[in-house]
């Protein structure tokens, strides 16, 4: 008997052939299905209304591109066994399973010391136990301990299938055309070096240049869009306030959040405590929105103001500045906030933000993108490209932001000024 092939119709890539066997069981597992309810771009839909696509869609898209890449590389004489192919596909399929609600936005809030990479690994370990070691090779590829390095680089690298999918997908759903890249062309040009590393044939150099430039532009226009940052920081501030209230025994938390916050969990707890990771797996974007609606009516002034403004999209207004805001000016604004809202000086910290973000389209020190020329020479894209901007993309950039908005506060029209400084390296 033959196994029926299952396909899904993806608006970005077309028809995608779904995994079979254990891979299909994993896709249908509640832990994986929860990705349907976690937005890929967090709160970017506050700026780009179409950006409602999910981690589930992205995972299947990256899976599809990896299928294509494996076929291309195998057709060029670099033998990939059925077991290696299945393990690589499982690795890319599960690479984002550890993401929590609103993806990166709340990553350091729900668990302060445990990031999504650790959570992803824990989910995979549990699946590996369930299927009696079936994911052993998958884990080796993820850890980059398998001898065929290019398999790991397809999953995690500067030209991996994860990046190829999210750039094309995010561009499609946001409508930002600068992010459009030629994934088909790039994949067709993939090859493997004598050292077993992933490389790009000389003919694909222009597609790689476009890919790197698109990555830089998408960061400025989407991922680090000033209004998106303002919305994300407001959401983070809401949860910081809730946590502080919880630690002071001034608020009752939803069951799942109470369990996660009742103690400081260590990395090891994620691997040994099934109830912990299963509780985390019950959370998605819809839970967060329900809680915020409830908290908007809470009797804490700071929390209710933040929640009401977040729900009604009365966000911080951001302006870029040439230099950092003076600390004395920040202190002055905080004093004004005390008067406007009749809150303490310490409570004004929930309306004033400082942070650090990084926007680096290409790193010359990390899994370089190598171009393989016909004469056998292997040259880094930064040196092989005749576009000067490619080298520029690997340099650090510093920017400052000033956040200001007018606040009505459901009373009279009062001008309230909030300061936000964001330094980008």
């Amino acid at each position: 008997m033959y196994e029926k092939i299952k396909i899904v119709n993806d608006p970005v890539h077309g028809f995608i052939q779904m995994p079979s066997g254990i891979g299909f069981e994993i896709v249908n597992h509640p832990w994986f299905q929860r990705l349907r309810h976690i937005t890929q771009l967090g709160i970017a839909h506050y700026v780009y209304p179409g950006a409602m696509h999910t981690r589930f869609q992205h995972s299947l898209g990256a899976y599809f591109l990896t299928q294509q890449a494996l076929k291309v590389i195998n057709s060029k004489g670099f033998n990939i066994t059925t077991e290696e192919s299945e393990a690589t596909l499982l690795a890319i399929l599960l690479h984002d399973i550890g993401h929590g609600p609103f993806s990166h936005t709340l990553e350091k809030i729900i668990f302060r010391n445990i990031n999504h990479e650790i959570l992803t690994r824990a989910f995979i370990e549990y699946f590996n136990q369930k299927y009696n070691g079936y994911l052993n090779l998958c884990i080796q590829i993820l850890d980059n301990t398998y001898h065929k390095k290019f398999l790991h680089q397809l999953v995690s690298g500067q030209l991996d299938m994860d990046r190829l999918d999210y750039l094309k997908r995010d561009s499609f759903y946001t409508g930002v055309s600068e992010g459009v890249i030629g994934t088909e062309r790039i994949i067709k040009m993939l090859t493997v070096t004598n050292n077993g590393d992933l490389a790009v044939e000389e003919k694909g150099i222009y597609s790689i240049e476009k890919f790197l430039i698109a990555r830089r532009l998408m960061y400025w226009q989407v991922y680090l869009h000033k209004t998106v940052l303002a919305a994300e920081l407001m959401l983070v501030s809401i949860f910081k306030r809730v946590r502080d209230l919880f630690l002071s025994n001034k608020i009752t938390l939803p069951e799942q959040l109470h369990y996660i916050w009742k103690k400081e969990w260590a990395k090891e707890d994620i691997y040994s405590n099934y109830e912990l990771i299963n509780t985390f797996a019950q959370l998605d974007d819809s839970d967060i929105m329900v809680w915020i609606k409830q908290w908007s009516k809470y009797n804490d002034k700071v929390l209710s103001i933040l929640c009401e403004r977040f729900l009604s999209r009365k966000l911080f207004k951001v302006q870029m500045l040439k230099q950092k805001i003076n600390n004395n000016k920040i202190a002055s604004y905080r004093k004004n906030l005390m008067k406007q809202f009749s809150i303490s000086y310490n409570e004004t910290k929930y309306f004033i933000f400082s942070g650090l973000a990084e926007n680096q389209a290409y790193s010359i020190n990390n899994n370089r993108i190598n171009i393989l020329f016909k004469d056998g020479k292997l040259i880094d894209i930064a040196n092989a490209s005749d576009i000067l901007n490619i080298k520029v993309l690997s340099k650090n950039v510093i920017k400052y932001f000033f956040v200001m908005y007018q606040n009505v506060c459901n009373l009279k029209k009062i001008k309230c000024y909030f300061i936000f400084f964001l330094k980008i390296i």
Side-chain angles (χ1 to χ4, degrees):
M1 295 184 65
Y2 67 93
E3 187 170 14
K4 185 177 180 180
I5 296 177
K6 297 178 177 64
I7 61 172
V8 294
N9 194 355
D10 178 62
V12 177
H13 302 303
F15 290 109
I16 297 176
Q17 182 176 324
M18 295 288 286
S20 59
I22 289 177
F24 189 72
E25 290 184 28
I26 289 176
V27 168
N28 283 309
H29 193 281
W31 289 351
F32 193 90
Q33 287 292 313
R34 63 183 277 275
L35 298 180
R36 290 181 182 272
H37 310 293
I38 295 177
T39 50
Q40 172 77 9
L41 294 182
I43 316 174
H45 61 274
Y46 268 34
V47 177
Y48 300 101
M52 297 295 291
H53 54 300
T54 66
R55 289 279 163 182
F56 182 86
Q57 293 167 288
H58 163 62
S59 296
L60 292 185
Y63 175 87
F64 169 79
L65 293 182
T66 306
Q67 281 181 323
Q68 304 307 305
L70 291 170
K71 289 177 182 177
V72 167
I73 294 172
N74 196 53
S75 70
K76 294 181 179 180
F78 304 99
N79 184 50
I80 302 172
T81 67
T82 300
E83 183 183 13
E84 291 169 340
S85 179
E86 289 179 355
T88 306
L89 289 171
L90 281 174
I92 195 67
L93 188 69
L94 294 168
H95 79 283
D96 269 352
I97 196 172
H99 272 290
F102 292 107
S103 295
H104 293 284
T105 307
L106 296 177
E107 182 161 333
K108 294 182 180 179
I109 300 299
I110 294 179
F111 283 115
R112 293 200 290 183
N113 302 314
I114 303 172
N115 58 32
H116 78 273
E117 286 91 353
I118 295 174
L119 288 161
T120 292
R121 181 56 182 269
F123 279 118
I124 293 174
E125 291 286 354
Y126 279 109
F127 278 130
N128 197 34
Q129 293 176 21
K130 178 177 180 176
Y131 293 110
N132 301 315
Y134 186 81
L135 279 73
N136 283 337
L137 183 54
C138 167
I139 292 172
Q140 290 181 47
I141 291 171
L142 284 169
D143 290 345
N144 200 21
T145 57
Y146 193 62
H147 66 279
K148 293 184 179 181
K149 303 298 182 183
F150 68 90
L151 296 177
H152 169 79
Q153 292 160 5
L154 285 174
V155 177
S156 179
Q158 293 201 81
L159 191 61
D160 58 36
M161 301 303 104
D162 172 34
R163 294 188 182 188
L164 290 186
D165 180 80
Y166 78 61
L167 279 177
K168 190 169 184 177
R169 188 171 300 277
D170 296 347
S171 174
F172 177 87
Y173 282 99
T174 59
V176 178
S177 60
E178 286 81 0
V180 176
I181 57 173
T183 54
E184 297 87 352
R185 173 73 175 175
I186 291 174
I187 289 174
K188 289 293 184 183
M189 294 297 107
L190 292 179
T191 187
V192 177
T193 68
N194 292 332
N195 294 326
D197 291 316
L198 195 67
V200 179
E201 294 174 355
E202 180 183 357
K203 294 181 291 184
I205 188 170
Y206 300 121
S207 297
I208 303 303
E209 291 172 345
K210 175 66 166 59
F211 161 74
L212 294 175
I213 293 172
R215 181 170 154 79
R216 167 56 62 89
L217 293 176
M218 284 293 285
Y219 264 85
W220 290 132
Q221 291 189 238
V222 179
Y223 312 130
L224 294 178
H225 188 286
K226 59 184 182 180
T227 307
V228 173
L229 290 171
E232 290 177 346
L233 288 169
M234 184 176 285
L235 181 57
V236 168
S237 191
I238 288 171
F239 272 79
K240 285 183 177 179
R241 181 59 174 173
V242 170
R243 187 178 181 88
D244 289 342
L245 291 173
F246 170 67
L247 294 176
S248 302
N249 295 316
K250 295 180 179 179
I251 192 171
T252 301
L253 297 180
E255 181 181 354
Q256 298 94 332
L257 193 59
H258 182 275
Y259 183 83
I260 293 173
W261 278 2
K262 68 181 181 180
K263 60 174 290 187
E264 284 291 336
W265 301 100
K267 174 182 176 181
E268 294 74 22
D269 295 320
I270 290 293
Y271 294 99
S272 60
N273 188 335
Y274 177 84
E275 184 178 1
L276 177 60
I277 195 168
N278 192 51
T279 299
F280 171 78
Q282 296 173 32
L283 301 179
D284 57 41
D285 294 8
S286 58
D287 295 298
I288 303 303
M289 294 307 296
V290 169
W291 298 344
I292 292 176
K293 288 179 181 179
Q294 294 172 345
W295 294 335
S296 68
K297 306 300 181 183
Y298 197 68
N299 59 10
D300 178 78
K301 181 179 291 187
V302 172
L303 180 59
S304 62
I305 289 174
L306 287 170
C307 291
E308 286 175 3
R309 294 193 68 92
F310 182 79
L311 291 171
S312 59
R313 200 190 174 278
K314 296 176 181 177
L315 305 175
F316 302 108
K317 306 300 180 183
V318 187
Q319 295 178 348
M320 287 195 299
L321 298 176
K322 293 182 179 180
Q323 58 185 6
K324 180 181 177 179
I325 295 294
N326 185 283
N327 288 333
N328 292 329
K329 289 184 178 181
I330 294 177
S332 177
Y333 282 112
R334 292 185 67 174
K335 290 177 181 177
N336 288 336
L337 286 172
M338 291 175 59
K339 298 176 182 179
Q340 298 291 352
F341 292 121
S342 298
I343 58 178
S344 68
Y345 185 82
N346 182 58
E347 287 175 326
T348 62
K349 68 184 179 181
Y350 300 103
F351 302 97
I352 299 173
F353 309 105
S354 62
L356 175 67
E358 184 175 357
N359 177 11
Q360 194 173 26
Y362 180 63
S363 173
I364 60 175
N365 299 317
N366 181 32
N367 290 326
R368 297 184 179 187
I369 300 175
N370 289 315
I371 306 298
L372 182 62
F373 288 83
K374 292 179 180 179
D375 60 3
K377 290 183 180 179
L378 201 63
I379 303 177
D380 182 271
I381 182 62
N383 297 318
S385 174
D386 55 5
I387 298 180
L388 294 177
N389 283 342
I390 299 302
K391 287 188 177 181
V392 173
L393 294 180
S394 64
K395 294 183 179 180
N396 292 337
V397 178
I398 296 176
K399 285 192 176 183
Y400 302 90
F401 289 85
F402 172 77
V403 177
M404 176 185 72
Y405 66 81
Q406 290 184 336
N407 186 16
V408 178
C409 300
N410 294 324
L411 298 171
K412 296 179 180 179
K413 288 187 177 180
I414 305 171
K415 288 187 177 180
C416 300
Y417 300 98
F418 293 77
I419 306 302
F420 159 56
F421 156 62
L422 176 62
K423 180 181 179 183
I424 297 180
I425 293 182

